[in-house]
Amino acid sequence: MATRIDTLEPVPAPERPPERRLSPREWARENLVGTPFDTVLTIVFALVVAWLVYRLGKFVLVDARWEIIERNITNLMVSRFPRDELWRVWAALLVLAPSLGFGAGSAAAARRREVAEGRAAAPPERASALRRAGPGLLLAAVLLWFAQSLQATFLTLVVGILGAGGYLLGRRLSLAGTRAALVVLAGIVVAYGLVTAFGGVGWEDWGGFMLTVFLAVGGILLAFPFGVLLALGRRSSLPAVRAVCVAYIELFRGVPLIAVLFMGAFMIGFLLPEGVDRPSLVTRALIALVLFTAAYVAEIVRGGLQGVPAGQVEAAQALGLSPVRITTRIVLPQALRNVIPGLVGQFISLFKDTSLVAIIGLTELLNVSRNITAQPDFLAQGLIVETLVFAAFVYWTGAYWMSRESQRLERRLGLGER
Amino acid sequence: MSAENGQSMIRLEGVSKWFGDFQALKGVDLGVERREVVVVCGPSGSGKSTMIRCINRLEKHDRGRIVVDGIELSDDLRNIQEVRREVGMVFQQFNLFPHLTVLENVTLAPRQVRRWNKAKAKEKAMEHLHRVRIPEQAHKYPLQLSGGQQQRVAIARALAMEPKIMLFDEPTSALDPEMIKEVLDVIAELAESGMTMIVVTHEMGFARAVANRMVFMADGEIVEVGTPEHFFENPQEERTKQFLAQIL
Amino acid sequence: MLRLVGQAVFLAAVAALLLFLLDNVVYNLRRLGIPTGFDYLDQSAGFAIPESDFRSSQSLLDALLVGVENTAKVSLLGIALATVLGVAVGVARLSTNWLVRRAAAAYVEAFRNVPVLIIIIFLWLGVFLRLPPIGRAVEILDVVVLSNRGLVVAWFDKTGSGAAFGVVALVGLLLAAAVWVWRTRRFDRTGQPHRRVLWACGVLLAVLAAGFFATGRPWTVATPERGALATTGGFRLSPEYAALLLGLTLYTASHIAEIVRGSILGVPRGQSEAANAVGLSGIQRLRHVVLPQAFRISIPPVANQYLNLVKNSSLGVAVSYYEVTKITQVSISQRAPAVQAILLLMGIYLVFSLSIAFVTNLVNRRLALRER
């Protein structure tokens, strides 16, 4: 007879959870060599990974002739930008860093407020600031290593400090969203002015990584309002408006970016009436990027609009708000908050896609990487591997950094898990 | 493999379970006899669901022993499979396979696990669908049915493996009020037929009518055990009284 | 009423804008003496296309058709390879083996965050064109020859009549189908495991092997022979094609892997629990419960990746692979009217995109969960 328990023993005191810390040996058994198949997999993968790491490490540290990057670091960053006007770029960075930092700090403060007021969930995990800034710091360190210039190092440090200062200030002041956005926008405008105004350098003479960033940022900023209008149009109750917006969105989503860039490069001139000068190639590329990106932004925003519960609109109607007010005051604010991760994703795509303007002849990062291998000192030495690896690294750190931050944001907003 | 005569069908001894630092079960002891119907109640978060989910190893217990029909649950996968074949489970959210028809839902496991041929599996499945009173829905898909119908299909699916024990994890909590009765009636019939069962539920009228024994849990412990009369008329523990006062 | 007027005004504005642009185009083309219609397509191309029989005296229209064919060639193979690699990596991301899991994650993060154009150009300039010249080509077991002239793989070479073997192959297929049905019926009758895939493949292979020798070996494997200037025999991939294909595959696979992983994780946990509760084994749970549902979740995003791959095949233009975009670019540089050529190019891609979208919708509708 088994012991049957009908009467209850006194409540046992809460025990500690059993220790789940595994010894390295147990860990290996559970994670690497559980079954014979697992063991084989582990061995095969270990060999392949070791070989790849060895080859990559040997290339980066031993074989690669990085001199071409060292000598051309300025070229890669700004290309044809006049050298005696470079101070303008640094000045612009010195303005941009604190204002962007201020924006990030304000956003962090806003999130804190929401958590404190119980309007948002507390962050699931806290990553250290160093870890979060990791890819950016790595990129800066590598660039400075190649630059080997005290002046650049000093200026970069100042930019970093100003950025961090802006962040702390933004968190302290904790301005409302629109005001913080105004500060960021003002920073961008002043920075742009510093580069271009008073005998400065217009964007048709920008190049290198600077042009890459400009096309990506300018592209998304200009595509955003256009995309929102298209999304609203696609959800309009007016069939004619809807049809036109659908046609536009499907057309641009159905063709490759390079076709749109060809359109910008070769066709825009024909679309203008006689007497109007054709805009510069950079401008035309930017127009193409905006036309293309707007269609994708529209679809992202449409997703956000669909995510706003119908009850919200009905409640607003019950309160007697006008349709325009309902859209601008009730629907859009909720929808746009939900589309931020999607927009960041689109920005990352655009950042990578700006490399395509190399095909129509703009000297952005990728094109410079190719061109410098044709310099007399480096001609026909197969240095394209070094320059492309460098360019790929720059793109990778940027895209990886942003996608990691975007995932954090997504978790914070509680999206993406359902 | 079957239990000796007189031995408990299910035996839990000092079962503890942690989720991270939170202790969901604090040394639970419970025995369930053959043909016995045990109804478990208690406030949410009291560990009721966790306890019955440990019985067929949907959750792994950290301390203590669980023996089901003479088989002890350990890390041995064969033991786990053996136990799962003997234990049917019905979930709060039905968890029917939405890509299979009702009939396919019911015949999948008997065909794959018991290796029955198609005719036998279908015949048995239709028997069980008759038993839960929806044979006419056999060729529909789960999402085309009402919640009550889905839950009855889920019961048929569990019965199709011809288990010796049935576990019900709040089977009516996700149902609209008018559908609760049709599901409870099926469960009550099953209890009358002599199935060994553990039912987690808040339906106290049902518990009173069907249970051989009531178990009240709170904070990961079994606070009180007794016959329904004893439990409802004359509860001993303060926490039980409080709970009953709130729910009745 | 107001709605109607509003829409009419909106449409009129859009139409006016389009007409204004069209008018400008026509005016500008006339002013510059450029033809306005699509007659230019009948003119001789004036350029040759590598890796094809196309002669420069053939028309531009023919050139575009070759381009469409080349786009299809790289896209279809790319889709197949990216799917295989992507599914493998996506499943590896969920492996219980730590090393496999981490390696798959590293692969995904490495390729997802780099422009696909850089991957393609790197493979072209940095890998395939830097292979040793033909005189010192790398040979792997006589099966693959790698040189800067391209990648040559051993391939089947027809020696006899294929007709007899074709009949044998057909018979083999029919037999395999029959065995499949037999195993399925037996499973239904007895409940014994059917293993129909194993049986059918076994029968097919056996018939093919027997037929191969019986019909007097109608195929031989042609190993690539290295000559002084080129390789003969075997199947040759030009460096351009190889770079584009591999680049698109690696890049798209990293995206598909994430979709596969997300789809498997996207099947509700209750489904796995229910499968466990009714006693299905791990593999049965995957085969009958998790994968069918994951597959359905993954169709729209994977189709989107296929679409992206087709569109990204336009990057052949950067490595001189003559698909439609490259042909368009070359023809524009050969004085074809840019406006028409680009509109035509966009039209061709739209047809590609819309047909993929159409097929996806059909599949999606067929597989949609039936609800009330």
Side-chain angles (χ1 to χ4, degrees):
Chain A
M1 281 286 274
T3 47
R4 228 188 100 183
I5 304 111
D6 260 353
T7 50
L8 279 160
E9 290 157 32
V11 180
E15 307 163 61
R16 291 294 313 143
E19 281 295 317
R20 283 285 294 161
R21 189 149 303 146
L22 299 170
S23 71
R25 200 172 175 164
E26 284 169 317
W27 182 87
R29 193 163 58 219
E30 213 160 273
N31 292 294
L32 294 176
V33 290
T35 63
F37 177 66
D38 245 5
T39 314
V40 172
L41 269 185
T42 302
I43 292 171
V44 171
F45 269 77
L47 289 175
V48 172
V49 169
W51 183 76
L52 284 174
V53 169
Y54 168 75
R55 284 301 301 261
L56 191 67
K58 184 154 175 283
F59 171 78
V60 170
L61 300 174
V62 183
D63 293 346
R65 286 159 295 167
W66 292 118
E67 191 199 346
I68 186 170
I69 306 290
E70 285 162 17
R71 298 246 306 261
N72 284 291
I73 190 74
T74 316
N75 246 334
L76 287 159
M77 289 300 107
V78 297
S79 185
R80 6 190 317 215
F81 197 94
R83 292 298 182 265
D84 40 353
E85 303 284 345
L86 268 183
W87 62 271
R88 289 172 178 276
V89 178
W90 282 111
L93 283 178
L94 290 174
V95 173
L96 266 183
S99 68
L100 291 181
F102 187 84
S106 308
R111 247 173 295 147
R112 277 191 171 183
R113 261 200 320 268
E114 284 181 358
V115 172
E117 291 165 12
R119 283 189 290 137
E125 89 282 15
R126 288 196 57 82
S128 73
L130 195 68
R131 218 181 118 79
R132 280 185 63 187
L137 293 178
L138 179 67
L139 179 62
V142 168
L143 293 182
L144 289 175
W145 169 262
F146 282 126
Q148 294 182 343
S149 140
L150 268 181
Q151 193 195 359
T153 312
F154 173 73
L155 284 167
T156 307
L157 274 179
V158 175
V159 167
I161 291 167
L162 282 177
Y167 181 84
L168 293 177
L169 188 69
R171 229 167 58 167
R172 173 72 53 83
L173 290 184
S174 180
L175 291 184
T178 39
R179 286 206 198 156
L182 275 181
V183 171
V184 175
L185 208 64
I188 292 175
V189 170
V190 171
Y192 176 75
L194 277 172
V195 180
T196 55
F198 306 114
V201 185
W203 68 43
E204 49 280 4
D205 289 319
W206 295 5
F209 188 50
M210 184 180 174
L211 181 60
T212 297
V213 173
F214 166 71
L215 287 176
V217 174
I220 199 85
L221 285 182
L222 294 173
F224 177 69
F226 189 22
V228 170
L229 285 181
L230 280 170
L232 289 174
R234 187 164 188 170
R235 287 184 40 99
S236 157
S237 59
L238 308 174
V241 176
R242 208 161 55 221
V244 169
C245 292
V246 169
Y248 178 91
I249 292 171
E250 294 306 325
L251 171 70
F252 279 94
R253 277 162 46 90
V255 299
L257 175 57
I258 189 65
V260 183
L261 284 171
F262 277 171
M263 199 180 91
F266 302 123
M267 238 173 93
I268 284 184
F270 290 104
L271 297 174
L272 300 171
E274 196 185 6
V276 178
D277 279 340
R278 199 166 72 153
S280 70
L281 188 56
V282 175
T283 311
R284 280 178 286 150
L286 186 61
I287 292 173
L289 288 172
V290 169
L291 290 177
F292 181 80
T293 305
Y296 288 82
V297 170
E299 284 301 274
I300 294 168
V301 173
R302 183 167 75 114
L305 290 173
Q306 278 169 344
V308 178
Q312 293 288 318
V313 177
E314 285 162 12
Q317 279 167 343
L319 290 174
L321 292 183
S322 72
V324 176
R325 284 239 156 151
I326 293 177
T327 302
T328 54
R329 293 287 169 79
I330 309 291
V331 178
L332 270 184
Q334 298 186 49
L336 293 184
R337 185 188 158 87
N338 290 345
V339 300
I340 292 171
L343 287 177
V344 176
Q346 190 54 43
F347 179 68
I348 297 171
S349 282
L350 181 60
F351 174 64
K352 291 188 293 171
D353 280 348
T354 55
S355 57
L356 266 63
V357 301
I359 297 173
I360 58 169
L362 287 182
T363 47
E364 48 62 79
L365 182 59
L366 173 60
N367 221 358
V368 179
S369 309
R370 292 187 65 175
N371 290 344
I372 55 178
T373 59
Q375 290 168 342
D377 282 356
F378 302 113
L379 190 63
Q381 297 172 25
L383 291 172
I384 189 75
V385 174
E386 278 83 349
T387 62
L388 283 183
V389 165
F390 173 80
F393 169 79
V394 174
Y395 279 111
W396 185 85
T397 41
Y400 177 71
W401 193 16
M402 285 187 282
S403 75
R404 216 173 63 174
E405 285 300 302
S406 151
Q407 281 163 8
R408 266 181 65 87
L409 194 66
E410 222 167 302
R411 279 199 296 275
R412 173 86 50 60
L413 292 174
L415 305 165
E417 39 186 78
R418 54 194 61 154
Chain B
M1 274 294 171
S2 76
E4 307 285 312
N5 221 5
Q7 192 179 338
S8 304
M9 278 296 264
I10 304 172
R11 218 168 64 220
L12 280 70
E13 286 175 9
V15 172
S16 293
K17 165 81 188 165
W18 281 264
F19 294 108
D21 279 337
F22 172 72
Q23 190 171 12
L25 293 179
K26 300 174 182 167
V28 170
D29 296 312
L30 182 70
V32 178
E33 300 303 303
R34 183 177 300 276
R35 291 171 168 269
E36 191 179 23
V37 177
V38 173
V39 170
V40 183
C41 61
S44 57
S46 58
K48 312 171 302 252
S49 288
T50 308
M51 180 181 79
I52 70 168
R53 287 161 62 85
C54 282
I55 293 173
N56 67 349
R57 237 329 150 92
L58 291 183
E59 307 284 358
K60 185 181 166 187
H61 58 284
D62 296 309
R63 290 250 172 90
R65 299 176 67 191
I66 299 179
V67 180
V68 179
D69 196 19
I71 308 162
E72 170 150 17
L73 279 171
S74 61
D75 284 339
D76 190 338
L77 213 59
R78 277 168 307 181
N79 276 3
I80 296 175
Q81 289 299 89
E82 192 74 30
V83 166
R84 282 176 177 167
R85 278 183 219 185
E86 305 304 334
V87 178
M89 177 140 184
V90 175
F91 299 87
Q92 181 179 352
Q93 298 294 343
F94 329 138
N95 293 345
L96 292 175
F97 306 132
H99 59 299
L100 302 177
T101 63
V102 165
L103 189 62
E104 286 165 347
N105 263 281
V106 180
T107 54
L108 177 66
R111 295 217 61 195
Q112 298 295 331
V113 181
R114 293 251 188 256
R115 298 262 169 242
W116 291 352
N117 65 39
K118 194 176 184 177
K120 179 179 177 192
K122 186 178 172 190
E123 192 194 315
K124 291 277 184 183
M126 289 312 291
E127 259 173 45
H128 292 299
L129 288 175
H130 268 289
R131 199 166 171 186
V132 300
R133 293 195 276 276
I134 36 173
E136 71 282 359
Q137 311 284 8
H139 295 286
K140 286 202 181 162
Y141 285 86
L143 297 181
Q144 295 173 308
L145 304 181
S146 73
Q149 290 172 323
Q150 289 191 50
Q151 192 61 297
R152 284 184 283 149
V153 173
I155 294 172
R157 178 177 70 180
L159 289 176
M161 285 294 283
E162 307 198 320
K164 295 179 181 161
I165 299 164
M166 286 285 283
L167 306 175
F168 292 85
D169 186 3
E170 305 201 24
T172 56
S173 297
L175 294 178
D176 291 336
E178 73 272 18
M179 295 171 183
I180 291 177
K181 188 172 178 306
E182 65 188 52
V183 172
L184 290 183
D185 286 351
V186 168
I187 301 176
E189 269 181 39
L190 201 59
E192 265 165 48
S193 76
M195 176 72 76
T196 310
M197 309 199 322
I198 301 183
V199 185
V200 174
T201 187
H202 295 295
E203 298 291 331
M204 288 302 136
F206 165 84
R208 205 167 187 152
V210 171
N212 300 123
R213 222 159 22 122
M214 294 293 301
V215 171
F216 175 69
M217 288 184 75
D219 301 324
E221 297 155 3
I222 291 184
V223 176
E224 187 159 359
V225 182
T227 60
E229 300 76 39
H230 179 83
F231 181 79
F232 287 108
E233 313 296 340
N234 191 16
Q236 301 297 307
E237 299 284 331
E238 197 52 39
R239 279 190 282 183
T240 319
K241 287 176 192 163
Q242 268 178 17
F243 176 73
L244 287 173
Q246 280 165 4
I247 201 162
L248 288 178
Chain C
M1 190 58 204
L2 194 66
R3 286 165 56 92
L4 270 183
V5 172
Q7 291 188 66
V9 170
F10 177 77
L11 276 185
V14 172
L17 177 67
L18 289 178
L19 275 178
F20 170 71
L21 294 177
L22 184 69
D23 187 55
N24 286 337
V25 169
V26 173
Y27 176 82
N28 283 322
L29 289 178
R30 292 235 173 89
R31 185 167 56 94
L32 297 168
I34 302 172
T36 48
F38 283 88
D39 296 339
Y40 76 95
L41 286 172
D42 295 332
Q43 293 167 9
S44 68
F47 56 88
I49 299 178
E51 315 289 320
S52 88
D53 318 331
F54 183 84
R55 279 161 288 112
S56 61
S57 60
Q58 281 176 273
S59 72
L60 272 174
L61 183 64
D62 289 341
L64 271 179
L65 290 179
V66 175
V68 169
E69 192 191 323
N70 280 343
T71 295
K73 247 192 226 165
V74 77
S75 301
L76 290 178
L77 195 51
I79 283 174
L81 293 176
T83 307
V84 173
L85 183 60
V87 171
V89 175
V91 172
R93 284 275 267 146
L94 298 169
S95 165
T96 52
N97 187 311
W98 180 85
L99 188 63
V100 173
R101 209 163 56 221
R102 300 303 306 208
Y107 168 84
V108 169
E109 291 301 348
F111 281 94
R112 224 165 44 137
N113 291 314
V114 172
V116 59
L117 181 58
I118 289 197
I119 300 175
I120 292 168
I121 294 182
F122 181 86
L123 288 171
W124 184 50
L125 294 176
V127 177
F128 288 108
L129 284 183
R130 293 227 304 179
L131 289 168
I134 200 92
R136 293 184 282 115
V138 182
E139 297 184 39
I140 306 169
L141 297 174
D142 272 359
V143 177
V144 180
V145 176
L146 294 168
S147 74
N148 61 3
R149 294 314 240 357
L151 192 149
V152 189
V153 193
W155 203 244
F156 301 104
D157 222 1
K158 217 159 122 179
T159 52
S161 149
F165 186 75
V167 173
V168 172
L170 199 65
V171 171
L173 274 177
L174 287 176
L175 262 179
V179 167
W180 177 286
V181 172
W182 169 60
R183 292 302 300 180
T184 309
R185 292 234 174 106
R186 187 169 169 279
F187 168 65
D188 288 347
R189 216 173 47 244
T190 65
Q192 292 310 305
H194 49 65
R195 307 201 205 297
R196 55 192 175 200
V197 176
L198 214 66
W199 275 78
C201 288
V203 166
L204 184 63
L205 278 179
V207 172
L208 288 183
F212 177 75
F213 292 107
T215 56
R217 306 186 184 195
W219 314 87
T220 53
V221 172
T223 51
E225 294 291 324
R226 190 143 52 80
L229 289 171
T231 47
T232 52
F235 179 75
R236 179 167 173 276
L237 293 85
S238 67
E240 292 74 28
Y241 179 73
L244 184 59
L245 178 67
L246 190 58
L248 291 175
T249 301
L250 291 174
Y251 181 78
T252 310
S254 71
H255 285 83
I256 292 183
E258 278 306 272
I259 294 170
V260 168
R261 169 169 168 269
S263 303
I264 293 177
L265 292 178
V267 176
R269 233 171 63 128
Q271 293 289 313
S272 287
E273 289 184 349
N276 283 335
V278 294
L280 296 182
S281 71
I283 288 174
Q284 288 169 338
R285 184 182 71 221
L286 277 181
R287 159 74 186 77
H288 294 285
V289 177
V290 176
L291 290 185
Q293 298 188 58
F295 178 65
R296 192 176 33 232
I297 298 175
S298 70
I299 288 175
V302 167
N304 203 20
Q305 287 305 320
Y306 290 169
L307 201 59
N308 282 343
L309 189 144
V310 173
K311 288 190 278 176
N312 282 335
S313 72
S314 62
L315 297 180
V317 74
V319 293
S320 289
Y321 174 70
Y322 278 66
E323 39 70 60
V324 260
T325 311
K326 179 69 188 174
I327 303 249
T328 301
Q329 188 205 34
V330 173
S331 61
I332 290 174
S333 70
Q334 302 274 340
R335 311 195 60 76
V339 177
Q340 290 96 312
I342 290 169
L343 288 179
L344 197 57
L345 177 69
M346 294 172 94
I348 291 171
Y349 278 110
L350 267 186
V351 171
F352 274 124
S353 301
L354 292 180
S355 23
I356 290 186
F358 179 71
V359 173
T360 313
N361 280 343
L362 278 188
V363 175
N364 234 347
R365 203 163 304 156
R366 250 195 74 80
L367 284 176
L369 289 180
R370 292 212 216 130
E371 295 183 47
R372 270 191 294 184

